[in-house]
Amino acid sequence: MTKSTMWALCGAASGAVFVFVAGILTIQASGLAAGAQYALNNSVQSIITPRVPYLMMGALALLGLAAIFALTVAMRHRSRASQLAFASSFSAATLLLVIASFALGATGMTPATPMIGVAPGWQGWLNRGGSSSAVHLVFLLAVGLLWMRSRKPQRAPHDATASPPQRVNTLLRSAVWGLLGMLMGVLFISVIGMLSAQVAARRLGVVLDLNNMVTAIASSTVGYLPMIAIALLSALMVFALTVAVRNRLRKFRVALVVGFSAATIVLLAASFILAPLRGPKAGLSIGIEPGWLGWLAEGSSTPAVHIVVLVAVGALWASLRTARSTPKQSESAANARIGA
């Protein structure tokens, strides 16, 4: 068995494990939020007080971050063929399971347990894992990474640190980049919250307006378009925080990521802290608050948002680490030239 074949099998297995574990964590999180504790076979084990599933949401975000780490950092020292094999098989396995999840859900081949709405056993894991925004985001990132690695190697982008602008101009522009990052964070959570509310409403068989109010009763469907929009928007945000600003001055990149991270973390913390204090919700069968409160609540509980925040923090850490190592490398090069 060649190394490429071995890495292809590892990628396919990793994709399958990722989808099913994401489904288990999603089911557990939804159960805690609804006031029920699920057993591993997705049956109700006990009735508890509803609470925010911090642990499960954190575990799902870390799971997505681990998958991204495996696709990028962990494979960077492998051969190009091994990298392509791992990423392509991971993407293929994830895509097939997502399609299977939607297909089985649409045909009704995964009967839900009465009064719970979750299919038993592996069928429930597949349903919830295949519809998780975390899975969709990681899949898009894997496809994007596969496309980048399949291209011919290009010259590394120039870091605009050789001729920095004047100090006052740099500080002003850094502040502008920081404010831009904060605005991106606020809009990101708000739009994701609007889309997540539409996904939940279509699953429950109702039609919501942009104010999260019920306007009509319809048949229960899978919100394909809002799910796709959530995944694309999340992937676009990761691209904007990492790749799109790569040729900018390091200070501007740091300011953008710091602004985005600060805004999103503050909004997430405010949403979680205020969750027990929220007032009556729009409709007993919906449980989504009206207006921006509903957008904030739904956006803060979307797994893709948590993964993007962790990626932003990781990008900030990597940028700061590079900034500390660059002067040392320059000093070593200067000493070598003097010695010569």
Side-chain angles (χ1 to χ4, degrees):
M1 181 183 297
T2 62
K3 287 185 177 181
S4 298
T5 303
M6 181 189 69
W7 282 112
L9 293 176
C10 291
S14 299
V17 171
F18 174 60
V19 172
F20 283 108
V21 175
I24 294 174
L25 294 174
T26 302
I27 293 172
Q28 296 295 324
S30 61
L32 293 176
Q37 189 170 2
Y38 290 141
L40 195 57
N41 63 350
N42 305 333
S43 61
V44 175
Q45 194 172 22
S46 61
I47 303 299
I48 60 175
T49 303
R51 60 178 183 266
V52 179
Y54 301 107
L55 183 60
M56 297 305 170
M57 289 192 297
L60 183 55
L62 291 177
L63 176 67
L65 188 64
I68 296 174
F69 180 86
L71 289 164
T72 55
V73 180
M75 293 294 297
R76 63 183 175 180
H77 296 304
R78 302 295 176 181
S79 64
R80 188 163 176 265
S82 298
Q83 294 179 13
L84 292 175
F86 185 85
S88 59
S89 59
F90 180 94
S91 304
T94 305
L95 178 61
L96 289 176
L97 290 176
V98 170
I99 294 175
S101 170
F102 290 157
L104 293 177
T107 56
M109 295 179 64
T110 53
T113 304
M115 303 300 293
I116 299 177
V118 180
W122 66 268
Q123 292 178 328
W125 306 343
L126 177 61
N127 277 346
R128 294 302 176 91
S131 61
S132 173
S133 61
V135 173
H136 304 161
L137 172 59
V138 174
F139 166 72
L140 287 181
L141 295 179
V143 173
L145 180 66
L146 180 63
W147 174 76
M148 293 177 62
R149 286 176 174 171
S150 63
R151 299 174 62 189
K152 294 181 179 180
Q154 297 180 352
R155 183 175 58 88
H158 174 66
D159 192 352
T161 56
S163 57
Q166 297 179 357
R167 180 176 178 82
V168 176
N169 189 24
T170 301
L171 292 176
L172 179 60
R173 293 176 64 183
S174 297
V176 172
W177 279 96
L179 292 175
L180 176 61
M182 296 176 65
L183 179 61
M184 289 170 56
V186 173
L187 292 177
F188 175 61
I189 288 186
S190 299
V191 176
I192 291 294
M194 294 171 59
L195 295 171
S196 298
Q198 295 297 323
V199 172
R202 295 188 183 186
R203 184 183 295 116
L204 295 173
V206 297
V207 178
L208 297 181
D209 58 12
L210 291 181
N211 197 36
N212 302 333
M213 304 299 292
V214 178
T215 59
I217 305 298
S219 59
S220 177
T221 58
V222 179
Y224 299 107
L225 290 180
M227 286 182 179
I228 294 174
I230 290 173
L232 290 176
L233 179 59
S234 302
L236 179 63
M237 192 59 60
V238 172
F239 178 84
L241 293 170
T242 56
V243 180
V245 295
R246 186 175 296 173
N247 290 328
R248 298 293 179 180
L249 192 67
R250 182 179 290 112
K251 293 181 179 180
F252 301 156
R253 300 198 302 264
V254 171
L256 178 71
V257 178
V258 167
F260 177 87
S261 303
T264 50
I265 291 174
V266 168
L267 289 176
L268 291 176
S271 176
F272 293 152
I273 292 174
L274 297 177
L277 305 178
R278 291 182 183 131
K281 300 182 179 181
L284 296 178
S285 61
I286 305 301
I288 299 177
E289 294 172 289
W292 65 271
L293 288 175
W295 304 342
L296 177 60
E298 294 298 314
S300 62
S301 60
T302 302
V305 173
H306 308 156
I307 294 177
V308 173
V309 172
L310 290 180
V311 170
V313 173
L316 177 61
W317 175 80
S319 180
L320 294 177
R321 184 181 179 184
T322 304
R324 288 194 300 267
S325 62
T326 301
K328 295 181 180 179
Q329 295 175 355
S330 300
E331 183 180 356
S332 299
N335 294 334
R337 288 194 297 269
I338 293 174

